[in-house]
């Protein structure tokens, strides 16, 4: 159909641009993250684990800007994240490709954002698939995010919770700078 052709042409245009060029919007940013992940797996083989990190932090500025400008609906973003999670789940032979969400930022402030919630909902709707969702929890985590994460865990597979206070403390003991320790993400099961 004409609509599907237009979608495919938009995808092709994104693939010609990112990750070689900086993304301009949410869809390009998500495509860039996926292309980078796919290239890493192709380069190092499927028996390696190379997790994409704190994807909610990477995507939130693009999401917020596109939503405020009326360029992206919640449903469009949710569907794109679901498709991203499906793609991630196909690249598993050695271990999970965890996406880390929530927690605190490098300044010690709450880092939960709209994309954190969006990712929980996508994970819930997909019943978790085979990719992992690492949910960072701190004393600054909003109560409603904590509840949503627990509900998602209850109905899916693959949600793991990480206590920022303990992980950050131990990373600092291991010699990491506090700012870097606060910006941790999960690789594999618990690394």
């Amino acid at each position: 159909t004409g609509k599907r052709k237009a979608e495919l042409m938009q995808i092709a245009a994104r693939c010609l641009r990112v990750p070689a060029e900086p993304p301009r919007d949410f869809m390009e940013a998500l495509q860039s993250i996926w292309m980078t992940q796919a290239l890493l797996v192709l380069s190092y083989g499927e028996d390696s684990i190379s997790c994409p990190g704190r994807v909610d932090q990477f995507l939130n500025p693009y999401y917020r800007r596109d939503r405020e400008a009326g360029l992206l609906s919640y449903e469009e973003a949710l569907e794109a994240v679901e498709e991203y999670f499906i793609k991630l789940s196909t690249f598993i032979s050695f271990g999970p490709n965890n996406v880390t969400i929530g927690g605190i930022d490098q300044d010690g402030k709450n880092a939960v954002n709209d994309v954190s919630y969006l990712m929980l909902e996508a994970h819930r709707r997909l019943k978790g698939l085979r990719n992992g969702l690492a949910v960072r929890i701190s004393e600054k985590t909003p109560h409603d995010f904590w509840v949503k994460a627990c509900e998602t865990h209850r109905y899916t597979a693959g949600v793991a919770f990480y206590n920022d206070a303990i992980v950050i403390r131990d990373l600092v003991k291991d010699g990491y700078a506090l700012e870097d320790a606060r910006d941790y993400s999960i690789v594999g099961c618990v690394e």
Side-chain angles (χ1 to χ4, degrees):
T1 68
K3 181 180 177 188
R4 181 62 179 151
K5 181 179 179 181
E7 289 173 349
L8 292 173
M9 295 302 289
Q10 290 172 351
I11 292 168
R14 282 195 294 272
C15 289
L16 288 172
R17 179 174 168 76
V18 296
E21 298 291 329
R24 297 170 291 193
D25 58 29
F26 178 82
M27 296 302 253
E28 283 187 359
L30 186 58
Q31 183 70 54
S32 184
I33 291 169
W34 166 245
M35 294 284 277
T36 302
Q37 178 78 11
L39 290 171
L40 283 169
V41 171
L42 291 172
S43 296
Y44 294 101
E46 285 195 55
D47 60 344
S48 64
I49 299 174
S50 51
C51 296
R54 301 185 74 185
V55 179
D56 61 340
Q57 304 306 301
F58 306 148
L59 292 176
N60 192 56
Y62 299 98
Y63 177 79
R64 193 174 56 247
R65 187 176 59 224
D66 287 0
R67 292 281 289 142
E68 288 171 2
L71 301 173
L72 180 73
S73 72
Y74 175 83
E75 281 300 322
E76 289 169 326
L78 182 59
E79 182 178 347
V81 170
E82 288 172 342
E83 290 173 4
Y84 169 66
F85 281 170
I86 290 167
K87 289 176 181 176
L88 264 184
S89 74
T90 65
F91 268 53
I92 298 176
S93 61
F94 188 72
N97 293 308
N98 280 309
V99 170
T100 302
I101 65 172
I104 59 173
D105 65 14
Q106 289 183 311
D107 297 324
K109 297 176 184 168
N110 172 46
V112 172
N113 60 49
D114 291 341
V115 178
S116 309
Y117 288 94
L118 187 73
M119 292 191 151
L120 279 176
E121 180 60 18
H123 194 78
R124 185 193 67 75
R125 285 175 42 160
L126 293 170
K127 304 292 188 246
L129 295 172
R130 293 174 47 200
N131 57 298
L133 189 63
V135 178
R136 291 180 44 180
I137 302 296
S138 79
E139 62 185 27
K140 296 178 181 176
T141 299
H143 180 74
D144 62 331
F145 181 77
W146 177 243
V147 169
K148 177 79 172 169
C150 288
E151 288 171 356
T152 301
H153 177 68
R154 181 177 179 191
Y155 295 108
T156 67
V159 175
F161 294 93
Y162 294 88
N163 183 333
D164 273 4
I166 302 302
V167 174
I168 293 167
R169 179 198 70 196
D170 290 352
L171 287 171
V172 169
K173 281 184 183 179
D174 283 346
Y176 287 89
L178 179 60
E179 296 80 19
D180 292 335
R182 287 175 173 161
D183 200 28
Y184 77 90
S185 64
I186 301 302
V187 177
C189 333
V190 294
E191 299 92 350

